[in-house]
Amino acid sequence: MNENELFQSEKDCERVLELLDDYLDSIEGEEELREALRKLEDLVFECDDPYELAHEIAHIYAHLDETDRGIELYRRLAESRKDDPEEYAVGLYYLADAYEHFGMPEKAIETYSKLLELEEELGNEREVALTLANMAMNYDEMGEVEKAVELMERAREIFERINDEKSHMISLLDLAHFRYELGENDKAEGLIRIVLKNPRDNEIEINAKLVEAEIYAGREEYRRAFVAIRDALLKAVDAGDELFGLVFDTLVDFIEGLFNEKAYRDIYENIEIFAEAFEDDTAEFFRAIGELARWKEGDEEAKKRFDELYAKVQNEDLKAILDEWKKPKLSLSLGL
């Protein structure tokens, strides 16, 4: 990869990004990488749309355990746009998002607060609502759920007033999750009902079903939780790999939690609804989970059935999940 070709692409960040992977692969040694990053930082300020390139640079710095260097780049980008309020608002958003992405919710909230003041001055109602929602999510991350509810309610009211139906539904989902965290299950379920009875896209319906499952699981209504996740999984089949992966991972975490709680009957009495939804070896994977639960409960005949089903599973990732779950759990105790 010719270095000159990369840095002659000034003001064309898309072209730089196209060439970046090959350029980085040609670098030998950490010091050479740091020098390249310094040059790329300078290039960011020449680009018309710098934020995707800044994102790549920040992640490389994070890989080098220098996350603050990446954050500083976002801060400098925002400051460089202070003379243009609209562009400054964009810069503050990306800075806040970077703090959030790298696990600094307090700094994210601080930056979103500055952005909120600016958006209110500019009169951008939708952006005000989005900023309030982002602040709410970070307060929730910090465990300040009541504050999260307060801010998300303000966002919800704006979304409803300006007829942003999709954002309004998403805010209701987030509020349902917050209410669940506060132990207000009836309020959470009521919000989910509102979402599910309104016209919605697949992503919103899938997430509504996942929050619904969370509520049911919290009440130990495991059958209803399984059905809600099943409905989400079926809806996600045609919704893209990312959403399907989200639902599948949620299901795996849910089942693993039941295994850890030794709630074996709840697993094997409900897992068949997932096996029935698939025709490939995924069906055998789910049936194997049921037999594993019976085996762990003490049914020695189930071990043979599990082994037969396990042999039919071709997907190595699915087999790895079964391998992990069939391991005996070690428990250590001190005799005092």
Side-chain angles (χ1 to χ4, degrees):
M1 169 69 199
N2 187 327
E3 180 178 320
N4 289 333
E5 184 181 359
L6 180 77
F7 292 106
Q8 284 171 358
S9 301
E10 60 183 83
K11 296 198 175 183
D12 186 355
C13 271
E14 288 188 14
R15 180 60 179 158
V16 173
L17 285 164
E18 288 175 8
L19 300 170
L20 188 57
D21 284 344
D22 287 342
Y23 173 61
L24 293 175
D25 286 343
S26 71
I27 291 176
E28 298 179 4
E30 196 169 292
E31 284 309 309
E32 186 180 352
L33 177 59
R34 292 178 192 282
E35 179 59 30
L37 288 171
R38 284 191 285 271
K39 292 180 181 179
L40 286 167
E41 282 192 56
D42 292 338
L43 189 60
V44 163
F45 289 87
E46 300 298 321
C47 289
D48 295 327
D49 185 4
Y51 296 105
E52 191 172 349
L53 180 57
H55 177 81
E56 294 298 323
I57 295 170
H59 271 272
I60 298 169
Y61 274 127
H63 181 72
L64 294 170
D65 292 324
E66 295 184 13
T67 300
D68 288 347
R69 291 281 307 262
I71 295 288
E72 176 63 15
L73 175 59
Y74 279 105
R75 190 194 65 76
R76 287 164 52 208
L77 273 170
E79 292 299 310
S80 72
R81 285 155 168 72
K82 249 184 167 178
D83 292 340
D84 184 331
E86 294 282 357
E87 287 297 319
Y88 185 43
V90 173
L92 285 174
Y93 165 76
Y94 278 104
L95 175 58
D97 184 65
Y99 279 128
E100 185 176 340
H101 181 77
F102 289 112
M104 306 177 194
E106 290 185 8
K107 287 289 188 180
I109 289 168
E110 182 181 316
T111 307
Y112 279 128
S113 296
K114 291 180 184 177
L115 176 58
L116 181 63
E117 291 180 10
L118 181 55
E119 295 292 6
E120 287 174 337
E121 290 174 10
L122 293 168
N124 297 332
E125 277 200 288
R126 184 172 185 274
E127 299 303 322
V128 166
L130 290 171
T131 302
L132 287 167
N134 284 325
M135 290 173 69
M137 299 304 290
N138 280 275
Y139 274 111
D140 178 58
E141 182 69 22
M142 293 168 59
E144 297 186 34
V145 186
E146 291 182 353
K147 183 66 175 179
V149 168
E150 175 194 332
L151 293 171
M152 193 62 76
E153 280 287 2
R154 287 173 60 191
R156 182 200 62 75
E157 289 170 4
I158 296 171
F159 289 135
E160 185 175 28
R161 186 172 68 249
I162 66 176
N163 295 316
D164 185 340
E165 189 62 20
K166 181 173 181 178
S167 296
H168 183 222
M169 291 297 106
I170 292 171
S171 69
L172 290 176
L173 281 180
D174 290 329
L175 281 168
H177 177 72
F178 297 159
R179 294 294 185 187
Y180 165 76
E181 289 186 306
L182 291 171
E184 300 172 356
N185 287 345
D186 290 343
K187 287 184 179 180
E189 191 171 5
L191 291 166
I192 293 298
R193 297 274 77 79
I194 293 172
V195 173
L196 289 176
K197 76 179 183 181
N198 279 277
R200 58 207 174 264
D201 64 16
N202 282 347
E203 183 175 359
I204 290 175
E205 183 168 355
I206 288 165
N207 280 286
K209 285 293 181 182
L210 293 182
V211 177
E212 186 178 50
E214 186 177 40
I215 295 166
Y216 291 146
R219 292 174 174 164
E220 297 186 2
E221 297 179 22
Y222 295 131
R223 174 67 180 180
R224 298 178 77 181
F226 270 113
V227 170
I229 299 175
R230 188 275 312 275
D231 292 347
L233 195 66
L234 290 175
K235 181 68 69 171
V237 168
D238 298 320
D241 291 344
E242 185 174 349
L243 270 176
F244 184 86
L246 169 67
V247 181
F248 192 84
D249 289 346
T250 300
L251 174 60
V252 168
D253 289 344
F254 176 52
I255 294 171
E256 183 169 353
L258 292 177
F259 270 122
N260 290 339
E261 292 173 13
K262 299 184 179 180
Y264 304 127
R265 179 179 293 272
D266 291 302
I267 296 171
Y268 64 69
E269 286 187 347
N270 292 294
I271 202 68
E272 182 63 23
I273 63 173
F274 292 94
E276 291 170 352
F278 293 89
E279 296 179 353
D280 58 8
D281 64 330
T282 308
E284 310 305 331
F285 164 73
F286 285 120
R287 291 193 173 101
I289 291 173
E291 296 305 328
L292 178 60
R294 288 187 173 91
W295 177 21
K296 283 181 173 286
E297 192 180 52
D299 182 351
E300 290 301 322
E301 290 297 316
K303 180 183 184 305
K304 180 180 178 181
R305 297 193 295 270
F306 170 79
D307 289 338
E308 291 172 352
L309 290 164
Y310 179 89
K312 296 177 182 178
V313 178
Q314 301 299 311
N315 185 297
E316 293 299 324
D317 291 334
L318 298 182
K319 291 180 80 167
I321 294 170
L322 295 172
D323 288 337
E324 183 63 29
W325 287 348
K326 72 181 181 182
K327 291 177 183 175
K329 298 294 181 185
L330 299 178
S331 60
L332 301 178
S333 60
L334 295 175
L336 299 178

